[in-house]
Amino acid sequence: MAPAKKRNVKPEKSQKGVKTAKMDPNSCVERILESRKHANDVFDLLELLQSEDEKVLISAMSACTTLFCTLLERKELFTGKLHPEDEALIGGFTAEEKCQIFMRHRYNSCVEMLLEQLSHEEFNVKENALCCLIKCATAQGRHPLEDLDWSEHYSFPRELIQAVVENLVSKTTDNSLLISRFQQFLEMEDLRFYVMSSIRESVGQVMEKNKGALMPVYQNNVFTLMTNINMPSQESELTSFMVQQEGEVQPVFSYHKCLEHKRVFERMWLGFLKYKLPSNMYKKILVILHDSILPHMSKPTLMIDFLTAAYDVGGAISLLALNGLFILIHQHNLEYPDFYQKLYNLLEPSVFHVKYRARFFHLANIFLSSSHLPVYLVAAFAKRLARLALTAPPTALLIVLPFIYNLIRRHPACRVLIHRPSAERELIKDPYLMDEEDPAMCHALDSSLWELKTLQNHYHPDVAKAAMLINTPLSGQEDDINEVLEITTHERDLKHSQKKSVPLEFETATQLLKGGGNVLGQHFCLN
Amino acid sequence: MGKVQKKKSLADKVRKTKTSTEIKNNPFEVKINRKKFEVLGQKIKHDVGLPGVSRSKAIKKRKDTLLKEYKQKNKSNKFIDRRFGEYDTKMAPEDKILQRFAMERQRGHDKKDVYNLNEEEELTHYGQSLAEMEKFTDAGNSDDETEEKGLLSAELTASHFGGGGGLLRKKGPGDQEEEGGQRTKSRQELIEELIQKSKQEKRERQVKKEEAQELTEKLDQEWKSIQALMVKKTPKDADAEKTEEKPKVEEYDMMVRELGFEMKAQPSEKLKTPEELAREETEKLQKLEADRLRRMMGDEGRDSSQHQVHMSADDLNDGFILDKHDKKTLAYEDGKWNIEDESEGGQDEDEAESGEDQETDAEEEEDDDEDGKEESAEEEGEGSIEKEDDDGHSDLDSEEEESENEEENEDDDVVSVPKPKKKSVTKEEQEAAKAELPYTFTAPENYNCLKNLLNCHTPDNQRLIVARMQKSNHPSLAVGNKLKLQNLLGFLLEYVGELATRNPPDLLTVDKLIPELYTLCQMFPEAARQALQSIMGDVAHSMEEVIEVNGHAPFPTLDMLIYLKVIALLFPTSDFRHPVTTPALLFIGQALTKCPVRSLQDLTSGLVLCCLAVEYVSLSKRFLPELINFLFGTLHLAVQDKTSLGYSVVPPFRRSGKHCDLLVVSDSESISSWSRKSLPLSACKHLELEEDRDRDQHRLTCLSTCLDLVKRCCLLYKELTSFTHIFQPIRVLLSKHLSSQTLPDSLQELQSEIVEMISSAPAAHRVLVFDKKKPIPLKLLTPKIVEVLDYGKKRGSSREEREQERLKHKYKKEFKGALREIRKDSRFLAREKLSEVMNRDAERKRKVRELFGSLATQEGEWKALKRRKRK
């Protein structure tokens, strides 16, 4: 309805616009506020809102905001059910009311235009539009346009927020910057509350429309917005509100309760996760899941489906799902059948190359720290890790070797893996079955960790040294895995950079490609 | 008491008269000191004592000294007998008398009658004493004889016998006084005159002599002043010769002295035969190789190589070692062995010490020996290394060597003189080419200087320039040169990097510069380490950053590859941990895991890295999983059908995807036309393959390189226990996938060879057990055995302590002796006092008795007189 009005008034405005093109928006605002005579100048302002010029646009936006906020404050906008403009002009309203209705319509069109500006190319414009919208929303919240009783209902400009959110989570452009700007407003409890519910609605609508197909940009925007929500952990933290109620008796609304927040939050996430997600989104979610989602859910167990599904995906996603699963198992009594077997099967060569290696080993360390695990299982883990270590980079090896040693230390029965004096003279083929999925059937206990013996010849001095440890009985103290998890190669190098003397090659170098077995020279030439 | 003393003194007297043998044989005089133990070979001074003798001696001595002092006590004046030897107890009285007599005579002799010989001799004439005769005449004279006669005779005697004047003088002074005025000259006067004359003559002679001496001295001085003129004028003059004789002598002396101080000719090493030289060379190489192996084994090996340390019974086995075995690794430094001068100095000191006190432990000596060996080895090494260096130069261009040598000679006069022409024509030509190069170069201040200097020259000339720069700035020539050359090394490395980044890369120049880099590196290992470490560190750091952001990184550029190769040339790659090569190898490993292959160019870089990796580990045979992974991934790229793989691929390769068919040959025709040739290194940097054909050729070459590397890896890692597991995926890939594809025959062969090699490796291994640990031996509390070299002396203490002990003992002994002496003295004195008192009493008694007696006689006489009167 509003757009139609706008179009109606456009022609006259454009004429005026020519005259007052260089009109200062602020003075215009002053004039309008001064007396109703100049009410029609509002059209000039609104026209400026569509200007190409960035500066003009921004000043016009702020001017509009001040104008309508003041009008809202003065209650010069029509409250209650709004009639279409044409009707209002005809209907039996007083001049005053007519004027209010007129202004109300201008306000609506202004908001619409601001929402449009949210998808402007320039970030400045977007940001300004967003701020203006929030200001409007704040003003509207204080002085609601609905004619309702304060004491019973809390009127929050839900529609406005809903519109803002829908514009924020655009389907076409990546709005992460704007969203991060929006984050500062999300500190306000009530706003956050309504944003969450509007996200849920929006996701539901949009995904339904698309029949659950992937929408990477949209989903990414939604994800960014959702991750930007900082949930309060306690009710007492609920302090800052966008709309402060006046009056002595403060009615308690849903968003005053922490539990309600949690519920909305939970519904939002579940609504989001219900649909198919791009795989990198999975990873992102799983990375933050244990830290910033699960604790804020009222019923974390609702995540079980999602997590088990993710765990079954395999690869890095499974590794990440481990963390959430761990929390569920640990804190929420989740029983997971064949957990260890799955964990065992997660051990692939890629485990050592992925980014989340440290996290995985941290968790694996926790899972395998139980002393009630059967020996065959621990041995299978140790053996498999050792076998995989044959393809691992040195940084991973420096984690894996202490890890294996810790396993053996915790389970002294596993010592046969590195020390089997009973069969000292025998020559045996490795009985371990790498392809066997069941750790119980892989004969790891009958094997020896020859891989570590091999790694004693590793080129990295620290790895070789660490592998040397199996030559002697292991010390009683466990190594702290968490210490080595984050150390990079470079840091390790730095530790050893100081040395007294530098040994030199004694074979005289004569040519670039010669020396060292002449491998390079055999395959490559200089030009 | 008095009686006893009398007896004693009597006994002493008796003793004195007896000889010592008599006393000793008298059993009553002898006291035998009983010995408790008979010790063989012991000499005892005091086995027999003569108490009587020693007592009498002591008493006598006291009498002579203490008693006299006692007697002199409280006396203010003192009688001192100044006669010769009065208080000398050692002298026999006869001797004393004789001596006194002699002295008396001498005194008389000294004072007068210097010329009076035979003063005391009895002069005789016809057996009669002349003195007697004179007395007679005098007597006659006095008895109214003619005075003339007497005088005549007196004159006669004086003139004839000259002697007895002394006597005569005293005899008749009266006469002389009477007759002095009349006679012109009496005998005495004559004599006096004679004496005076002779004295005068003597004085005159002396004066003359002095004058003559003065004159000669004067003459000498005058001569010296004109000597110089004389020498110049007539060097062959007789005088000149004479004067020259002196300096000649001095010269000679100096020569002699010089020769004396000159070092004696030391035995030089004998000339070595070629065989010996060869053997030394091989020995040196063996030593170096052994050293390399030791470093390769790392710390672990070092521990085992250390010989068993002696553990004493006092060792607490707590790992505390007093003297460190802090041996440096044997390696090069500045082209020398890195054994520091300090250690040599220390060793020298050790030797000196061992010379001083003979208490060197066996251990120390062992150390010394070792040091010595090392030292000698060092010398050998040094020599031969220099030789090697020279060889390195001469290998390339021998004539340059000469020019360098010459230029070295010319270093002193900085002016660069064009080289004199040589004999052979070809050399002249070469010279002509080089003539434009100056012989000395200043070391560049910064990198741009070097670049500008080298830029416009041919690779050979660039090398020459750097070589000359190095020679003319040798550290031994000036103080700051070391720093300059160190900078030069850094600049050169930078230059090498720049050459490699050029388009097209100028690798020929890099190749030429390698020997110079090597020599510089040998001179300044520390600088080379720093330069290369910073280069490596920068690149590795930036790569790490990229990886952190993207998860992967692009392949290192060609200059980095060149640097890696240069590092392998300059530093030993087989060390367990090396400040340069270890980071380099880590970098290679990281590049091989983190850099995804996206083009044939990437693949070429990857293969270069693989080649480098194989070179790095070729000696140490260290296991490099990244290398195997990469080669395996590369082979995977060549597999056509990627649907049913029997293996899993390791990142950075993917099972299937965009760049997974990079090595699949598109046209089967190219397979037959393919022939193997080396890839250019520049392919890592820029690879343009327009046609499919060329691309296939490149693919096949890469594949062949890869297969060859796999083969090399197989050979390298054959010994590893997990060999089959490591190569299992490759085996599957080769036997199941690649073998079914059409490939050139040589590749097929290579591939079947590899498969054969992998499957033939032994699969069975010995189960793991801990290393057999040597049981810690029980602490054996054996006594500490100290070798005793001198018996009979107090042991276990230092010299000072022993000296102190000795002094204490002596003091004690002396103290006791003194105490005894003092007691004896006081006893002696008491005895003397008593005897004095007794004597006095006895005297008094005697006198009283005498008085009484006289009184009694008086009384008796008086009574008798009275009685007589009465009668």
Side-chain angles (χ1 to χ4, degrees):
Chain A
M1 52 183 182
K5 288 281 97 48
K6 209 164 57 186
R7 249 169 254 124
N8 265 355
V9 291
K10 229 168 200 172
E12 351 167 5
K13 264 193 293 177
S14 60
Q15 286 167 5
K16 275 187 187 173
V18 177
K19 284 184 230 160
T20 57
K22 285 177 184 102
M23 183 179 59
D24 183 24
N26 289 329
S27 56
C28 185
V29 168
E30 274 168 34
R31 251 181 296 137
I32 298 168
L33 291 178
E34 214 170 81
S35 79
R36 285 188 186 149
K37 272 193 284 182
H38 306 288
N40 271 342
D41 285 355
V42 127
F43 288 112
D44 300 334
L45 262 182
L46 291 178
E47 195 187 356
L48 282 178
L49 270 184
Q50 281 174 325
S51 156
E52 300 292 317
D53 191 4
E54 198 182 309
K55 277 181 193 166
V56 176
L57 199 58
I58 288 170
S59 57
M61 278 196 265
S62 56
C64 281
T65 322
T66 34
L67 170 66
F68 289 112
C69 285
T70 332
L71 289 177
L72 277 170
E73 229 167 281
R74 289 190 198 163
K75 300 196 189 293
E76 282 180 13
L77 288 185
F78 184 78
T79 52
K81 198 176 175 323
L82 185 63
H83 301 273
E85 205 167 12
D86 308 334
E87 231 175 89
L89 291 173
I90 302 158
F93 292 105
T94 58
E96 176 105 343
E97 273 172 339
K98 271 181 193 167
C99 186
Q100 280 182 357
I101 288 170
F102 170 77
M103 271 309 181
R104 176 79 190 278
H105 279 287
R106 296 293 81 74
Y107 172 64
N108 282 351
S109 55
C110 168
V111 165
E112 250 173 75
M113 281 152 99
L114 282 175
L115 284 172
E116 262 175 41
Q117 295 300 348
L118 275 184
S119 44
H120 198 271
E121 295 98 47
E122 286 297 322
F123 176 69
N124 266 349
V125 179
K126 283 199 241 181
E127 194 189 354
N128 258 301
L130 185 67
C131 294
C132 293
L133 281 169
I134 298 296
K135 266 183 206 161
C136 290
T138 320
Q140 208 184 327
R142 286 212 188 99
H143 314 282
L145 294 173
E146 276 82 38
D147 199 8
L148 294 168
D149 191 2
W150 258 112
S151 55
E152 281 170 33
H153 299 279
Y154 170 70
S155 86
F156 190 85
R158 256 173 271 186
E159 285 85 7
L160 186 56
I161 292 301
Q162 173 91 34
V164 169
V165 167
E166 267 167 27
N167 275 291
L168 266 182
V169 289
S170 149
K171 282 167 211 156
T172 48
T173 49
D174 183 15
N175 267 346
S176 47
L177 258 180
L178 193 59
I179 290 170
S180 60
R181 176 77 180 83
F182 187 58
Q183 190 194 5
Q184 98 176 50
F185 302 113
L186 289 176
E187 294 298 313
M188 292 178 281
E189 316 295 334
D190 44 359
L191 180 66
R192 183 173 58 229
F193 185 83
Y194 286 105
V195 164
M196 286 196 288
S197 52
S198 30
I199 288 173
R200 186 173 59 92
E201 275 168 41
S202 157
V203 169
Q205 281 168 13
V206 172
M207 295 314 277
E208 278 304 306
K209 222 185 269 171
N210 274 30
K211 304 204 171 91
L214 282 178
M215 298 178 71
V217 179
Y218 175 74
Q219 277 170 324
N220 198 32
N221 278 333
V222 173
F223 177 74
T224 325
L225 184 54
M226 291 200 298
T227 45
N228 275 324
I229 293 172
N230 286 328
M231 285 294 285
S233 50
Q234 285 171 327
E235 209 138 318
S236 57
E237 280 177 28
L238 300 173
T239 45
S240 71
F241 292 93
M242 185 168 92
V243 182
Q244 292 288 354
Q245 289 89 347
E246 291 118 17
E248 281 101 75
V249 191
Q250 289 202 352
V252 175
F253 297 103
S254 55
Y255 54 80
H256 285 119
K257 287 177 194 155
C258 199
L259 191 65
E260 281 301 315
H261 275 269
K262 279 191 170 180
R263 225 170 257 155
V264 179
F265 182 78
E266 180 185 292
R267 255 180 279 152
M268 171 183 81
W269 272 107
L270 289 177
F272 180 66
L273 297 178
K274 203 156 62 179
Y275 301 98
K276 203 179 169 211
L277 298 168
S279 68
N280 65 335
M281 179 75 67
Y282 257 119
K283 282 186 196 167
K284 280 186 197 165
I285 294 167
L286 288 170
V287 166
I288 59 157
L289 186 72
H290 69 287
D291 207 34
S292 44
I293 302 177
L294 281 183
H296 302 303
M297 288 176 75
S298 59
K299 281 185 206 152
T301 37
L302 290 173
M303 277 293 189
I304 285 172
D305 287 341
F306 174 72
L307 282 173
T308 42
Y311 194 42
D312 289 337
V313 170
I317 293 178
S318 304
L319 295 187
L320 292 169
L322 264 182
N323 212 340
L325 272 184
F326 169 67
I327 290 174
L328 292 186
I329 294 169
H330 183 59
Q331 292 167 4
H332 302 283
N333 261 344
L334 175 71
E335 260 196 35
Y336 198 92
D338 296 334
F339 177 77
Y340 280 103
Q341 190 177 339
K342 272 192 181 153
L343 188 64
Y344 178 73
N345 288 316
L346 274 185
L347 296 176
E348 286 287 318
S350 57
V351 163
F352 296 119
H353 292 90
V354 290
K355 248 200 278 179
Y356 318 105
R357 180 179 61 202
R359 181 199 284 256
F360 173 72
F361 277 102
H362 169 71
L363 288 172
N365 189 34
I366 293 171
F367 294 138
L368 292 172
S369 60
S370 160
S371 54
H372 297 289
L373 293 176
V375 178
Y376 73 86
L377 186 74
V378 177
F381 270 99
K383 179 69 186 174
R384 193 172 179 97
L385 283 171
R387 182 63 64 81
L388 295 178
L390 288 179
T391 60
T395 36
L397 284 174
L398 289 171
I399 302 171
V400 174
L401 292 179
F403 193 87
I404 295 173
Y405 295 152
N406 278 356
L407 288 183
I408 296 172
R409 281 185 189 122
R410 278 175 211 145
H411 304 272
C414 284
R415 216 166 82 134
V416 289
L417 288 176
I418 54 169
H419 182 57
R420 196 191 301 273
S422 57
E424 198 177 331
R425 295 274 141 226
E426 286 173 42
L427 284 172
I428 54 165
K429 273 190 166 185
D430 198 346
Y432 174 70
L433 302 172
M434 184 73 174
D435 300 329
E436 176 62 53
E437 288 198 349
D438 186 0
M441 313 285 281
C442 66
H443 303 296
L445 260 184
D446 304 329
S447 180
S448 275
L449 296 181
W450 285 291
E451 290 81 2
L452 299 190
K453 196 91 189 163
T454 303
L455 286 178
Q456 290 182 356
N457 282 321
H458 196 271
Y459 72 100
H460 194 298
D462 292 337
V463 174
K465 259 190 189 163
M468 291 286 185
L469 290 182
I470 60 158
N471 287 347
T472 50
L474 294 172
S475 58
Q477 189 109 36
E478 279 190 26
D479 300 324
D480 191 2
I481 292 288
N482 292 327
E483 257 177 35
V484 289
L485 281 180
E486 294 300 335
I487 297 176
T488 60
T489 340
H490 196 65
E491 285 169 53
R492 275 181 181 281
D493 291 346
L494 285 179
K495 272 198 264 171
H496 300 293
S497 58
Q498 281 86 27
K499 225 192 166 188
K500 293 167 274 175
S501 65
V502 192
L504 291 170
E505 179 64 51
F506 58 82
E507 267 179 47
T508 322
T510 51
Q511 286 175 39
L512 182 63
L513 292 182
K514 278 199 177 166
N518 200 18
V519 186
L520 195 62
Q522 203 172 335
H523 295 287
F524 291 91
C525 59
L526 283 176
N527 28 17
Chain B
M1 272 302 257
K3 272 184 182 174
V4 176
Q5 211 179 347
K6 258 182 190 166
K7 262 186 197 168
K8 246 185 198 167
S9 60
L10 191 76
D12 287 346
K13 262 178 201 163
V14 170
R15 224 173 263 126
K16 263 180 198 164
T17 57
K18 282 178 180 173
T19 55
S20 60
T21 47
E22 254 179 307
I23 295 168
K24 270 184 187 166
N25 288 335
N26 184 1
F28 295 104
E29 291 281 7
V30 172
K31 181 184 182 288
I32 294 170
N33 293 321
R34 199 174 61 87
K35 274 183 290 181
K36 277 183 180 172
F37 310 106
E38 202 75 44
V39 180
L40 256 178
Q42 198 179 24
K43 263 189 184 175
I44 303 163
K45 283 182 203 163
H46 310 290
D47 53 346
V48 173
L50 299 170
V53 175
S54 52
R55 190 183 297 126
S56 67
K57 264 188 197 164
I59 287 167
K60 200 182 148 254
K61 200 177 177 186
R62 287 209 171 79
K63 260 187 190 158
D64 289 348
T65 54
L66 192 64
L67 191 61
K68 273 186 184 145
E69 251 175 65
Y70 174 71
K71 293 255 168 81
Q72 286 294 322
K73 209 171 81 177
N74 300 327
K75 298 244 161 70
S76 51
N77 57 350
K78 195 176 172 185
F79 174 78
I80 298 170
D81 195 346
R82 285 198 192 277
R83 286 175 304 169
F84 178 80
E86 182 54 36
Y87 301 105
D88 195 350
T89 46
K90 279 172 194 166
M91 242 176 188
E94 290 81 16
D95 283 350
K96 264 184 209 169
I97 292 161
L98 261 174
Q99 201 73 25
R100 278 176 197 162
F101 179 67
M103 283 178 77
E104 189 63 24
R105 274 183 60 187
Q106 213 164 6
R107 201 176 296 133
H109 202 72
D110 281 344
K111 273 178 184 167
K112 312 148 208 170
D113 309 331
V114 186
Y115 299 98
N116 195 0
L117 304 168
N118 307 322
E119 187 197 36
E120 298 246 334
E121 239 156 75
E122 199 81 354
L123 298 171
T124 53
H125 186 61
Y126 293 115
Q128 286 176 320
S129 166
L130 280 178
E132 293 292 302
M133 280 161 67
E134 257 179 316
K135 275 175 190 165
F136 268 109
T137 50
D138 277 357
N141 277 354
S142 57
D143 289 348
D144 295 331
E145 288 236 349
T146 51
E147 272 197 340
E148 281 194 22
K149 199 188 173 188
L151 189 144
L152 223 169
S153 68
E155 263 199 58
L156 265 175
T157 48
S159 58
H160 279 255
F161 308 106
L167 293 171
L168 292 177
R169 231 184 294 156
K170 283 174 183 172
K171 299 292 173 185
D175 302 328
Q176 280 164 10
E177 272 172 47
E178 284 171 67
E179 291 156 352
Q182 300 166 354
R183 279 177 243 152
T184 47
K185 276 172 190 176
S186 69
R187 190 173 62 101
Q188 200 178 358
E189 278 168 347
L190 260 174
I191 289 166
E192 274 177 358
E193 251 174 47
L194 203 96
I195 290 168
Q196 268 180 346
K197 263 183 193 169
S198 69
K199 276 188 176 172
Q200 209 166 1
E201 268 175 24
K202 197 181 169 187
R203 214 170 289 141
E204 272 168 13
R205 252 186 282 130
Q206 260 180 353
V207 168
K208 265 187 187 171
K209 207 181 166 186
E210 276 174 14
E211 274 177 358
Q213 219 164 2
E214 266 177 29
L215 275 172
T216 46
E217 273 177 18
K218 207 178 174 187
L219 196 67
D220 276 352
Q221 276 179 350
E222 279 172 0
W223 162 246
K224 270 180 190 168
S225 63
I226 55 164
Q227 190 185 20
L229 301 169
M230 296 286 282
V231 169
K232 271 192 180 172
K233 272 178 186 171
T234 51
K236 278 173 189 174
D237 222 359
D239 289 25
E241 260 182 19
K242 258 188 191 173
T243 48
E244 260 181 18
E245 258 174 36
K246 264 195 177 175
K248 254 191 184 172
V249 168
E250 272 168 13
E251 237 168 59
Y252 171 76
D253 280 348
M254 268 165 66
M255 287 253 284
V256 167
R257 245 166 245 156
E258 269 173 18
L259 285 171
F261 284 123
E262 209 172 54
M263 287 236 296
K264 299 288 180 291
Q266 281 172 338
S268 61
E269 277 182 35
K270 68 167 181 178
L271 280 175
K272 282 160 186 162
T273 59
E275 294 92 73
E276 275 178 329
L277 280 173
R279 201 176 58 232
E280 260 175 28
E281 190 73 7
T282 49
E283 271 170 11
K284 191 203 80 191
L285 281 177
Q286 277 169 2
K287 201 170 163 56
L288 287 170
E289 179 65 15
D291 189 37
R292 189 190 65 73
L293 283 174
R294 190 178 49 67
R295 288 198 311 252
M296 186 171 104
M297 299 310 290
D299 300 343
E300 208 69 16
R302 200 175 298 161
D303 289 346
S304 65
S305 73
Q306 247 177 12
H307 59 88
Q308 180 80 36
V309 209
H310 169 73
M311 206 159 73
S312 88
D314 299 332
D315 197 342
L316 294 172
N317 203 15
D318 55 357
F320 179 77
I321 304 162
L322 199 68
D323 43 349
K324 276 198 279 180
H325 271 270
D326 208 1
K327 277 179 197 162
K328 281 210 144 190
T329 54
L330 210 55
Y332 285 125
E333 199 168 57
D334 293 12
K336 293 170 188 171
W337 294 69
N338 73 340
I339 300 171
E340 292 157 327
D341 296 348
E342 298 165 18
S343 68
E344 277 175 52
Q347 182 213 335
D348 285 351
E349 279 170 18
D350 282 358
E351 276 173 8
E353 271 178 21
S354 71
E356 274 170 24
D357 50 352
Q358 305 290 329
E359 296 177 64
T360 41
D361 292 350
E363 211 176 338
E364 258 182 27
E365 274 172 13
E366 228 173 68
D367 277 2
D368 281 2
D369 283 357
E370 274 172 25
D371 283 4
K373 273 178 213 160
E374 276 175 5
E375 206 174 30
S376 64
E378 168 197 348
E379 280 161 15
E380 277 174 29
E382 216 172 306
S384 40
I385 283 155
E386 276 166 21
K387 220 171 287 160
E388 222 176 49
D389 280 4
D390 289 350
D391 286 353
H393 290 294
S394 57
D395 275 354
L396 288 160
D397 33 8
S398 55
E399 88 289 334
E400 183 205 305
E401 176 86 48
E402 288 170 28
S403 72
E404 276 171 9
N405 285 348
E406 210 166 276
E407 166 242 314
E408 263 188 319
N409 297 338
E410 286 165 4
D411 275 341
D412 294 352
D413 30 353
V414 187
V415 194
S416 61
V417 189
K419 210 188 161 195
K421 297 215 167 181
K422 286 273 161 183
K423 317 106 211 173
S424 70
V425 189
T426 50
K427 274 191 178 177
E428 270 180 14
E429 280 172 5
Q430 284 171 336
E431 281 317 306
K434 281 166 192 167
E436 55 203 75
L437 287 178
Y439 285 97
T440 52
F441 288 92
T442 49
E445 293 289 315
N446 52 34
Y447 172 57
N448 283 334
C449 283
L450 180 78
K451 211 171 87 177
N452 295 336
L453 192 62
L454 294 181
N455 241 346
C456 46
H457 290 283
T458 62
D460 275 322
N461 274 356
Q462 292 193 15
R463 186 199 160 208
L464 205 55
I465 289 171
V466 176
R468 286 179 179 176
M469 207 179 278
Q470 194 187 317
K471 292 263 170 177
S472 51
N473 290 295
H474 195 270
S476 57
L477 295 176
V479 180
N481 277 353
K482 198 175 165 192
L483 194 70
K484 279 184 192 166
L485 284 188
Q486 282 178 349
N487 286 340
L488 176 65
L489 177 57
F491 300 149
L492 263 187
L493 284 171
E494 208 176 322
Y495 186 59
V496 165
E498 205 216 270
L499 289 176
T501 40
R502 274 183 199 170
N503 202 8
D506 192 1
L507 296 178
L508 275 175
T509 314
V510 176
D511 187 39
K512 291 287 174 205
L513 287 174
I514 290 296
E516 297 314 316
L517 271 177
Y518 180 77
T519 23
L520 275 173
C521 178
Q522 294 287 339
M523 286 165 90
F524 310 109
E526 192 52 33
R529 178 189 70 86
Q530 273 175 3
L532 283 170
Q533 260 184 351
S534 69
I535 291 169
M536 289 281 315
D538 289 351
V539 176
H541 197 73
S542 56
M543 185 158 110
E544 202 130 313
E545 274 174 0
V546 173
I547 288 171
E548 216 146 272
V549 176
N550 299 336
H552 53 78
F555 267 96
T557 47
L558 181 60
D559 56 332
M560 196 55 207
L561 300 179
I562 296 296
Y563 278 133
L564 287 171
K565 178 63 198 173
V566 168
I567 286 172
L569 287 174
L570 296 183
F571 296 102
T573 48
S574 60
D575 282 15
F576 184 72
R577 193 193 290 280
H578 189 280
V580 184
T581 48
T582 304
L585 194 53
L586 279 172
F587 177 79
I588 292 175
Q590 194 167 31
L592 286 178
T593 33
K594 292 292 182 189
C595 303
V597 175
R598 293 197 168 125
S599 64
L600 281 178
Q601 193 180 315
D602 283 352
L603 190 67
T604 321
S605 302
L607 285 175
V608 172
L609 279 174
C610 286
C611 285
L612 285 171
V614 170
E615 281 188 6
Y616 268 77
V617 296
S618 62
L619 279 173
S620 56
K621 299 195 173 178
R622 293 198 199 292
F623 176 46
L624 196 75
E626 289 89 341
L627 173 64
I628 307 290
N629 292 347
F630 192 87
L631 292 175
F632 170 56
T634 310
L635 290 178
H636 173 70
L637 296 183
V639 175
Q640 270 169 344
D641 179 27
K642 293 194 165 83
T643 44
S644 62
L645 301 168
Y647 53 86
S648 53
V649 193
V650 181
F653 296 94
R654 280 179 291 172
R655 193 183 174 83
S656 56
K658 202 173 158 197
H659 302 290
C660 278
D661 295 328
L662 265 180
L663 278 185
V664 177
V665 180
S666 58
D667 191 1
S668 53
E669 265 177 45
S670 54
I671 289 171
S672 50
S673 66
W674 177 77
S675 67
R676 206 199 167 295
K677 49 182 182 196
S678 310
L679 288 167
L681 270 179
S682 51
C684 312
K685 190 174 167 61
H686 184 67
L687 188 64
E688 253 181 48
L689 298 168
E690 294 294 322
E691 292 176 35
D692 273 357
R693 224 181 120 74
D694 290 343
R695 216 169 284 160
D696 280 349
Q697 292 289 330
H698 190 84
R699 279 172 183 151
L700 285 171
T701 315
C702 284
L703 196 58
S704 96
T705 305
C706 181
L707 282 172
D708 182 64
L709 288 174
V710 170
K711 193 181 142 196
R712 280 171 191 273
C713 287
C714 283
L715 287 171
L716 273 180
Y717 298 143
K718 217 165 32 183
E719 308 294 318
L720 295 181
T721 43
S722 308
F723 175 73
T724 38
H725 295 123
I726 294 166
F727 284 93
Q728 178 66 18
I730 290 181
R731 194 173 79 108
V732 172
L733 189 145
L734 291 180
S735 55
K736 284 198 184 155
H737 300 276
L738 268 196
S739 57
S740 57
Q741 283 171 231
T742 46
L743 285 174
D745 292 341
S746 58
L747 295 190
Q748 288 285 8
E749 250 174 60
L750 201 57
Q751 153 188 342
S752 54
E753 214 176 299
I754 293 166
V755 171
E756 178 62 27
M757 216 188 287
I758 296 171
S759 37
S760 69
H765 298 287
R766 200 156 283 168
V767 292
L768 290 182
V769 282
F770 293 145
D771 278 353
K772 288 253 165 42
K773 230 176 108 184
K774 259 188 203 165
I776 299 167
L778 285 175
K779 272 180 221 166
L780 299 175
L781 298 170
T782 47
K784 186 183 174 189
I785 294 168
V786 181
E787 210 177 336
V788 179
L789 295 169
D790 44 352
Y791 289 96
K793 281 186 183 169
K794 281 209 173 127
R795 289 170 223 116
S797 55
S798 67
R799 195 194 293 167
E800 292 90 59
E801 275 174 343
R802 254 176 283 140
E803 181 69 19
Q804 205 173 5
E805 200 74 14
R806 200 177 60 79
L807 283 175
K808 249 185 204 169
H809 184 71
K810 199 176 174 184
Y811 159 77
K812 211 171 164 186
K813 241 164 68 179
E814 291 292 312
F815 182 76
K816 275 182 175 172
L819 212 63
R820 201 160 47 227
E821 287 302 303
I822 288 168
R823 275 197 205 111
K824 277 182 183 168
D825 279 355
S826 51
R827 215 177 289 152
F828 174 79
L829 273 181
R831 210 157 50 217
E832 282 300 315
K833 276 179 192 166
L834 185 68
S835 68
E836 211 172 279
V837 171
M838 298 276 272
N839 280 343
R840 239 189 353 245
D841 286 358
E843 185 74 6
R844 201 167 151 269
K845 265 183 189 167
R846 189 181 56 80
K847 277 182 178 167
V848 168
R849 217 182 288 138
E850 228 168 65
L851 279 175
F852 272 126
S854 66
L855 282 178
T857 39
Q858 244 181 14
E859 183 79 9
E861 276 175 9
W862 182 70
K863 273 179 181 170
L865 203 74
K866 228 167 118 181
R867 224 179 278 140
R868 240 188 273 160
K869 272 178 186 174
R870 243 188 277 159
K871 277 172 188 176

